[in-house]
Amino acid sequence: MAKIKDILNRPAEIASFLLLTLAIIIFKSAFTAQKAMIPALLPFSQDRQYALWDQWLHFGYAPWEITHGLFDHPLMTLFISHSYSIWFILYWVILMYFTVIKGNEKLRKQYLVSFFLCWAVVGNIFATLMSSGGPCFYKYLVPGEDVYSGLFARLHEQNNWIITNIGGAEIWALKLQEMLWDFYTEDVTGLGSGISAMPSMHVSVAVLMALGTGALNKYLGYVFWLYAVIIQIGSVHLGWHYAVDGYIGGILTFIIWKMVGMIIATSTDDSAVIRSPQLD
């Protein structure tokens, strides 16, 4: 009760938090609208090229063949699927934490500015310039042989095993991919709609969370770096992305984080920054 009263006695901070949250929601809505416009601005034409890049970088193998070779049991795919699904919850939890963090304004600014830039630069600008649909839509976008038919035959086989042996569980990505394609063909625009594979925003945000939490506590950072690796694997394993989508998304995010950090460092009087004690 005392904590609640303490919060209510800081109306300026409450107003600041609500305004920032509103700005994030508006920004995300604008992002969704722009994402839906990508194929109109630059039609999907580079999927074949990214599939070839994947094979070249992985010594002639498609990356999904590697992940399914390493994690070949349906239960491993189910674990990867659930890990991928909680990304949305984790990204909001970490974002809200950095929205209200006290004692390290420099880190707070670095995370929030990087967050907005990642969605704007990686998720809008580069996504438009490098327009692609991803492996799950390859058969619709690239004439000729569907080089990912083996991946989705395997995913459906594993999904049938999961449904049969584990009540109430399934690989949710398969239904969501069908839904997104229906939205695309029916020109439906809504929160979460739109198709865009390159670069991967799932990997981008996962890397950003790892960078931000690692600046707070190195051990917590290790956990989120591991999660970022799982997201990279999952994006390929579940057919959402080419491996290069994640590599480029992660690299761009790292560059944005470092550049924002340098700009904030040069524009902030370090003596005026109240540093929070390290948790490690």
Side-chain angles (χ1 to χ4, degrees):
M1 184 63 69
K3 289 185 177 180
I4 295 176
K5 288 182 178 180
D6 182 52
I7 294 173
L8 294 176
N9 286 330
R10 300 198 300 266
E13 292 183 18
I14 294 174
S16 177
F17 170 77
L18 293 175
L19 286 173
L20 182 55
T21 302
L22 179 61
I24 292 170
I25 293 172
I26 294 173
F27 176 80
K28 287 290 292 172
S29 298
F31 168 81
T32 297
Q34 196 281 335
K35 181 180 177 181
M37 293 173 58
I38 287 176
L41 296 172
L42 191 65
F44 299 130
S45 61
Q46 303 183 68
D47 285 81
R48 187 191 300 276
Q49 184 62 53
Y50 297 151
L52 291 174
W53 286 3
D54 266 6
Q55 280 199 315
W56 181 77
L57 284 172
H58 298 88
F59 308 101
Y61 292 95
W64 71 264
E65 294 175 323
I66 299 173
T67 68
H68 278 271
L70 293 173
F71 313 109
D72 61 343
H73 197 280
L75 289 178
M76 289 301 301
T77 298
L78 184 62
F79 169 76
I80 291 171
S81 175
H82 285 331
S83 299
Y84 206 82
S85 297
I86 65 172
W87 171 89
F88 184 79
I89 298 172
L90 288 175
Y91 120 64
W92 272 105
V93 169
I94 299 301
L95 177 60
M96 288 300 100
Y97 176 79
F98 279 103
T99 302
V100 300
I101 186 176
K102 285 186 173 184
N104 198 331
E105 187 65 17
K106 181 179 174 182
L107 179 59
R108 176 176 178 270
K109 287 180 180 178
Q110 184 175 6
Y111 191 90
L112 294 176
V113 172
S114 297
F115 174 85
F116 282 106
L117 284 177
C118 281
W119 286 100
V121 176
V122 181
N124 279 160
I125 296 174
F126 275 88
T128 301
L129 295 175
M130 308 182 78
S131 175
S132 66
C136 51
F137 307 121
Y138 191 94
K139 63 183 178 182
Y140 304 119
L141 300 172
V142 181
E145 180 187 3
D146 177 14
V147 298
Y148 292 95
S149 60
L151 166 60
F152 286 97
R154 183 172 183 82
L155 286 173
H156 281 287
E157 179 184 338
Q158 291 183 330
N159 195 41
N160 290 335
W161 186 95
I162 291 168
I163 292 171
T164 301
N165 292 276
I166 305 175
E170 61 179 300
I171 302 173
W172 294 107
L174 295 174
K175 280 188 176 179
L176 185 55
Q177 288 161 359
E178 291 180 5
M179 183 183 72
L180 286 175
W181 184 254
D182 288 341
F183 283 168
Y184 173 69
T185 56
E186 295 168 11
D187 199 24
V188 175
T189 301
L191 189 62
S193 64
I195 294 174
S196 176
M198 169 72 88
S200 169
M201 284 309 299
H202 265 75
V203 174
S204 173
V205 173
V207 168
L208 180 62
M209 290 192 293
L211 290 166
T213 56
L216 286 171
N217 178 280
K218 66 180 181 181
Y219 299 109
L220 184 60
Y222 295 156
V223 172
F224 274 90
W225 276 115
L226 175 60
Y227 182 70
V229 171
I230 293 173
I231 290 297
Q232 170 66 33
I233 292 171
S235 69
V236 171
H237 196 83
L238 300 172
W240 284 112
H241 289 281
Y242 308 103
V244 290
D245 297 350
Y247 301 157
I248 293 176
I251 291 169
L252 289 173
T253 300
F254 184 80
I255 293 172
I256 288 172
W257 174 263
K258 289 298 183 180
M259 289 183 64
V260 171
M262 287 189 293
I263 292 171
I264 291 175
T266 56
S267 62
T268 303
D269 179 7
D270 288 339
S271 63
V273 176
I274 303 174
R275 299 185 180 276
S276 61
Q278 291 294 310
L279 302 178
D280 57 347

